[in-house]
C-alpha cells in the first residue's frame, strides 16, 4: 500500500482509482467516508488531506489548520459503528508530512483492501445506500445486486453447497452424469467412488446431500449446475446463461455459437465445458511426440486452456447478470464470467491462494483432473504463454456489473521494438487530433474525445494530461477539458 504515495513523487501524482485528495479546510470532508468505503471495497488506496486538485489535475497544498484535532476526529468517527460499519485501519495507517516553502502539513490515510469476509464496507448504517466502489473518475454507489454479491461471498460455505430441498434427484440429467463418471473412471482407475451407485456417487462428489428438512437426498446447487437441465437450472439461478461464440470472420457476426438456452442440448456446466474445450483447441498445433510407444496429443497450451475454461466456470457468480461468455477470435480467446475476483486481481495473478466462488464445482472438476486447487492455475497460464512467446495474458476486472475477463492472445511478442519511434509518432498524431477536436467542439468530456480519436478513455485521459494547453474543468465524473485559447 505504501507504494501508492511517495512524498518525493508528489508533483507527478494525479487523482486516479487509488489516490484521492481533499482540502479539509473546515474539518473532515463528508465525502471522505464515501472514499474510505470505495477504496476498501476495491483494491485500497490513499486519501490525502490538505491538498486541492487544480483544474489541470495537478495538486496544490493548502495545509491543515489543526492536524491533531483532525486526527482525533477521524479516529472518533471511523470507530463509530453508526458512521462506519468496520474500521480497517491501525495507527500506522496515518502519516503526516510537512511540505513546500510554506511548510504546509498534509495527512496521508492509507486504506487497505477489505478481506472478502469483511465486505461490504459501508457508511451511515445503511448497507444498500452507503456502500461505494471506486472507478477512475471517483466514488460511486454500489447497486443492490453488487451488495448482495459481496454478502454471498462472505461465507466459507460457498453458494453451490446449498441443498435444493424441493428438487428430486430424478431431475438431474443422467446422460451427463454417466459421461462424467466414465471420464472419472478412465482417468482414475480403481478410485473408491467407482463402485458406488449413482446417488451415492453424487453425494460423495458434492452434487447431492441429505436435507435436514425431510431427511432425503436432494441435488445441491453445484449438482444442479453441473448435471441439471437448463430449464431446471434457471428456476434456481434466473440469470444463468452460458454462451460460446466463434468470431473468425469479420463479415459474419459469428461462425459458430453454443448457448445453454438453445434447447438442443442439456445446457449444464459439465456438457458446456467439454463441448467448448473441443472447439477452442481444434486450431492448436500438436507437435509429434511419443511416450511409452504412444503419441501424446496434449501440450502445455492445451493444459492452460483447460485451466482457463474451468477457472471461468468455477469462479462465476451464477446469480450475476450477463452470464459466462467464451469468445474465440482468429488470434485470441476471451473468457468472461460474472463476479469480481474474490482474492483480488493481483493475488489471482501471483497465485498461491485458492478461494473459489464455487468449491463443490471445483471438487468435481478436480476429480477429472481439471483445475488447480493450490491457486497456481492462473500463474501456470501466464508461464505457458511466456514460454510459448505469446503476448502476456490480460486480466480485467469490471464493476457495474461485476465481471472478470481473461484474454489469451496467440500473437507473438514483439522483439524489443524498433516501433518506439512509430509509437511516439502515433502519440503526437493523437495529441494533434485532440487539439483539433477541442478547437472545433470546445469544452468536451473524455468519452467524446476518446470516441473521436478511437482510443480508450484511460489512454485519452493520459494524453490530455500531457497537453499543456489543455485545462481540466470540474472534478471526477463531471470533468471536462478545454483548450486555453478557447477559454
Amino acid at each position: 500500500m505504501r507504494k501508492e504515495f511517495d512524498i518525493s513523487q508528489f508533483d507527478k501524482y494525479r487523482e486516479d482509482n487509488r489516490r484521492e485528495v481533499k482540502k479539509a479546510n473546515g474539518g473532515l470532508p463528508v465525502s471522505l467516508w464515501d472514499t474510505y468505503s470505495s477504496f476498501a471495497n476495491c483494491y485500497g488506496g490513499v486519501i490525502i488531506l490538505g491538498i486541492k486538485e487544480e483544474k489541470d489535475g495537478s495538486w496544490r497544498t493548502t495545509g491543515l489548520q489543526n492536524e491533531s484535532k483532525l486526527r482525533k476526529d477521524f479516529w472518533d468517527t471511523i470507530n463509530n459503528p453508526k458512521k462506519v460499519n468496520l474500521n480497517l485501519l491501525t495507527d500506522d495507517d496515518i502519516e503526516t508530512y510537512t511540505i513546500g516553502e510554506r511548510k504546509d502539513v498534509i495527512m496521508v490515510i492509507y486504506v487497505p483492501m477489505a478481506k472478502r469476509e469483511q465486505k461490504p464496507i459501508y457508511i451511515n448504517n445503511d448497507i444498500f445506500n452507503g456502500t461505494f466502489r471506486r472507478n477512475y473518475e471517483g466514488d460511486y454507489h454500489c447497486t443492490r445486486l453488487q451488495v448482495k454479491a459481496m454478502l454471498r461471498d462472505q461465507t466459507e460455505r460457498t453458494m453451490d453447497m446449498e441443498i435444493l430441498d424441493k428438487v428430486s434427484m430424478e431431475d438431474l440429467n443422467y446422460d451427463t452424469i454417466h459421461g462424467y463418471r466414465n471420464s472419472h473412471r478412465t482417468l482414475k482407475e480403481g478410485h473408491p467412488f467407482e463402485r458406488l451407485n449413482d446417488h451415492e456417487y453424487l453425494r460423495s462428489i458434492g452434487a447431492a446431500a441429505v436435507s435436514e428438512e425431510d431427511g432425503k437426498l436432494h441435488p445441491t446447487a453445484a449438482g444442479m449446475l453441473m448435471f441439471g437441465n437448463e430449464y431446471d437450472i434457471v428456476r434456481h439461478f434466473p440469470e444463468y446463461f452460458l454462451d460460446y461464440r466463434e468470431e473468425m470472420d469479420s463479415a459474419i457476426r459469428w461462425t459458430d455459437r453454443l448457448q445453454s438456452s438453445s434447447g438442443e442440448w442439456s445446457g449444464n456446466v459439465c456438457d458446456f465445458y467439454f463441448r467448448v474445450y473441443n472447439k477452442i483447441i481444434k486450431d492448436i498445433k500438436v507437435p509429434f511426440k511419443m511416450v511409452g510407444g504412444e503419441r501424446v496429443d496434449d501440450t502445455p497450451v492445451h493444459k492452460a486452456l483447460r485451466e482457463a475454461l474451468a477457472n471461468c466456470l468455477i469462479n462465476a457468480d451464477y446469480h450475476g447478470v450477463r452470464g459466462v461468455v467464451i469468445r474465440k477470435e482468429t488470434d485470441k480467446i476471451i473468457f468472461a464470467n460474472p463476479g469480481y475476483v474474490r482474492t483480488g486481481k493481483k493475488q489471482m495473478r501471483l497465485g498461491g491462494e485458492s478461494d473459489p466462488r464455487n468449491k463443490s464445482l471445483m471438487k468435481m472438476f478436480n476429480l477429472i483432473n481439471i483445475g488447480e486447487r493450490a491457486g497456481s492455475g492462473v500463474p501456470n497460464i501466464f508461464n505457458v504463454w511466456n514460454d510459448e512467446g505469446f503476448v502476456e495474458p490480460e486480466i480485467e476486472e469490471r464493476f457495474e456489473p461485476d465481471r472478470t475477463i481473461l484474454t489469451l492472445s496467440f500473437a507473438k511478442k514483439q522483439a524489443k521494438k524498433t516501433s518506439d519511434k512509430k509509437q511516439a509518432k502515433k502519440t503526437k498524431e493523437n495529441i494533434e487530433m485532440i487539439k483539433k477536436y477541442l478547437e472545433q467542439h470546445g469544452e468536451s468530456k473524455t468519452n467524446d474525445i476518446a470516441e473521436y480519436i478511437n482510443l480508450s478513455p484511460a489512454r485519452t485521459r493520459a494524453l490530455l494530461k500531457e497537453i499543456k494547453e489543455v485545462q481540466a474543468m470540474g472534478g471526477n465524473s463531471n470533468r471536462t477539458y478545454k483548450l486555453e485559447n478557447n477559454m
Side-chain angles (χ1 to χ4, degrees):
M1 171 61 66
R2 295 303 189 262
K3 69 180 182 181
E4 296 304 329
F5 183 77
D6 180 347
I7 193 67
S8 67
Q9 303 297 311
F10 181 87
D11 291 334
K12 297 180 181 179
Y13 286 136
R14 298 292 184 273
E15 282 193 348
D16 54 25
N17 66 335
R18 304 293 290 276
R19 302 181 186 92
E20 173 83 9
V21 298
K22 300 179 186 295
K23 288 192 294 184
N25 285 344
L28 293 177
V30 174
S31 63
L32 181 152
W33 305 109
D34 300 359
T35 305
Y36 170 77
S37 168
S38 67
F39 280 157
N41 288 322
C42 283
Y43 292 115
V46 289
I47 304 170
I48 309 167
L49 304 182
I51 295 177
K52 178 185 178 183
E53 184 186 26
E54 302 285 35
K55 289 181 179 179
D56 64 356
S58 63
W59 295 354
R60 176 173 65 83
T61 59
T62 56
L64 302 175
Q65 301 301 316
N66 190 335
E67 182 270 328
S68 59
K69 181 179 185 305
L70 209 65
R71 184 185 288 255
K72 181 179 184 304
D73 290 346
F74 177 84
W75 286 118
D76 287 346
T77 307
I78 200 170
N79 287 307
N80 178 0
K82 291 183 179 179
K83 182 62 183 180
V84 179
N85 73 310
L86 185 64
N87 173 20
L88 300 173
L89 276 59
T90 66
D91 288 343
D92 294 335
D93 292 318
I94 295 184
E95 295 176 346
T96 54
Y97 296 91
T98 301
I99 187 171
E101 294 180 0
R102 297 185 309 173
K103 304 296 182 184
D104 288 326
V105 175
I106 64 171
M107 181 184 295
V108 182
I109 302 168
Y110 297 89
V111 182
M113 171 183 167
K115 297 177 181 177
R116 167 178 55 80
E117 56 270 22
Q118 294 172 324
K119 295 178 183 179
I121 302 299
Y122 57 92
I123 63 173
N124 299 331
N125 210 23
D126 189 341
I127 192 169
F128 288 112
N129 292 311
T131 299
F132 294 80
R133 270 192 178 151
R134 185 80 172 178
N135 60 22
Y136 192 93
E137 301 292 352
D139 310 317
Y140 70 91
H141 275 103
C142 289
T143 64
R144 292 181 72 87
L145 188 67
Q146 290 173 315
V147 174
K148 287 179 179 179
M150 285 188 254
L151 291 171
R152 282 196 301 271
D153 282 341
Q154 282 183 350
T155 63
E156 288 303 314
R157 283 183 59 83
T158 57
M159 171 276 303
D160 64 336
M161 296 179 182
E162 179 190 356
I163 303 171
L164 306 181
D165 299 302
K166 307 300 181 185
V167 181
S168 165
M169 293 296 292
E170 279 60 50
D171 285 349
L172 299 179
N173 186 309
Y174 282 83
D175 287 339
T176 303
I177 292 167
H178 294 154
Y180 175 92
R181 292 199 69 172
N182 286 337
S183 296
H184 190 192
R185 190 178 299 112
T186 301
L187 291 165
K188 298 184 178 178
E189 187 176 349
H191 192 280
F193 295 172
E194 195 174 298
R195 297 175 180 269
L196 302 176
N197 65 38
D198 283 342
H199 285 192
E200 291 170 336
Y201 180 83
L202 292 170
R203 184 179 181 184
S204 297
I205 67 172
V210 174
S211 168
E212 294 181 2
E213 196 169 292
D214 61 8
K216 294 180 180 179
L217 193 67
H218 294 275
T220 59
M224 178 57 70
L225 288 164
M226 194 77 163
F227 303 121
N229 294 297
E230 188 270 347
Y231 50 80
D232 284 324
I233 297 173
V234 295
R235 292 170 55 198
H236 306 284
F237 301 93
E239 300 292 342
Y240 175 85
F241 183 62
L242 309 177
D243 189 8
Y244 169 77
R245 308 169 188 171
E246 271 185 24
E247 300 174 0
M248 312 295 279
D249 186 340
S250 58
I252 304 172
R253 192 174 181 188
W254 53 74
T255 51
D256 187 16
R257 193 169 188 189
L258 179 73
Q259 293 177 290
S260 56
S261 58
S262 69
E264 298 170 349
W265 57 291
S266 68
N268 60 45
V269 167
C270 184
D271 287 343
F272 182 79
Y273 171 85
F274 285 105
R275 287 173 180 243
V276 170
Y277 176 68
N278 287 326
K279 291 176 183 291
I280 63 177
I281 64 166
K282 64 185 179 184
D283 300 317
I284 305 299
K285 294 179 181 179
V286 181
F288 186 80
K289 183 180 179 183
M290 300 289 289
V291 175
E294 294 184 2
R295 180 170 180 178
V296 177
D297 290 332
D298 203 27
T299 69
V301 174
H302 286 79
K303 294 174 183 175
L305 289 174
R306 285 200 295 273
E307 181 64 39
L309 180 55
N311 185 72
C312 180
L313 294 166
I314 289 167
N315 288 293
D317 179 358
Y318 290 102
H319 289 289
V321 298
R322 296 189 184 176
V324 171
V325 179
I326 314 297
R327 198 166 80 246
K328 181 180 180 181
E329 300 179 7
T330 52
D331 60 348
K332 61 187 171 186
I333 302 175
I334 301 164
F335 303 84
N337 63 268
Y340 61 90
V341 183
R342 278 161 60 105
T343 59
K345 188 168 69 171
K346 181 179 178 181
Q347 188 61 49
M348 176 184 178
R349 171 65 182 88
L350 291 174
E353 185 176 319
S354 179
D355 188 19
R357 181 167 272 110
N358 299 291
K359 290 182 180 178
S360 294
L361 283 183
M362 171 174 264
K363 176 182 178 180
M364 293 178 209
F365 276 111
N366 289 164
L367 284 170
I368 52 176
N369 293 347
I370 299 168
E372 296 282 350
R373 280 197 81 93
S376 58
V378 172
N380 285 344
I381 294 170
F382 274 74
N383 291 339
V384 170
W385 247 241
N386 182 61
D387 293 344
E388 295 291 328
F390 296 144
V391 172
E392 185 173 271
E394 294 180 15
I395 301 171
E396 181 183 0
E397 192 174 24
R398 295 180 186 171
F399 303 114
E400 222 177 356
D402 296 347
R403 202 153 184 80
T404 303
I405 301 166
L406 171 66
T407 300
L408 300 182
S409 172
F410 296 102
K412 291 288 186 176
K413 293 178 186 174
Q414 297 287 325
K416 193 66 177 173
K417 297 182 182 177
T418 58
S419 64
D420 286 348
K421 290 183 180 178
K422 291 182 180 178
Q423 185 62 43
K425 182 181 177 184
K426 186 64 178 173
T427 298
K428 187 176 180 180
E429 289 173 355
N430 286 329
I431 286 175
E432 290 305 315
M433 288 176 70
I434 290 173
K435 289 180 181 178
K436 182 179 178 182
Y437 183 89
L438 291 175
E439 284 174 1
Q440 294 175 351
H441 296 84
E443 188 173 339
S444 303
K445 287 194 170 185
T446 305
N447 287 344
D448 295 330
I449 304 169
E451 185 176 350
Y452 174 73
I453 62 175
N454 197 26
L455 285 179
S456 70
R459 178 57 182 154
T460 303
R461 214 175 279 115
L463 291 175
L464 284 162
K465 290 177 181 177
E466 293 183 24
I467 307 173
K468 293 180 180 179
E469 305 96 305
V470 169
Q471 281 201 1
M473 314 289 291
N476 296 332
S477 59
N478 295 319
R479 182 166 296 160
T480 56
Y481 296 88
K482 270 188 175 184
L483 280 175
E484 285 184 343
N485 56 8
N486 282 8
M487 298 284 285

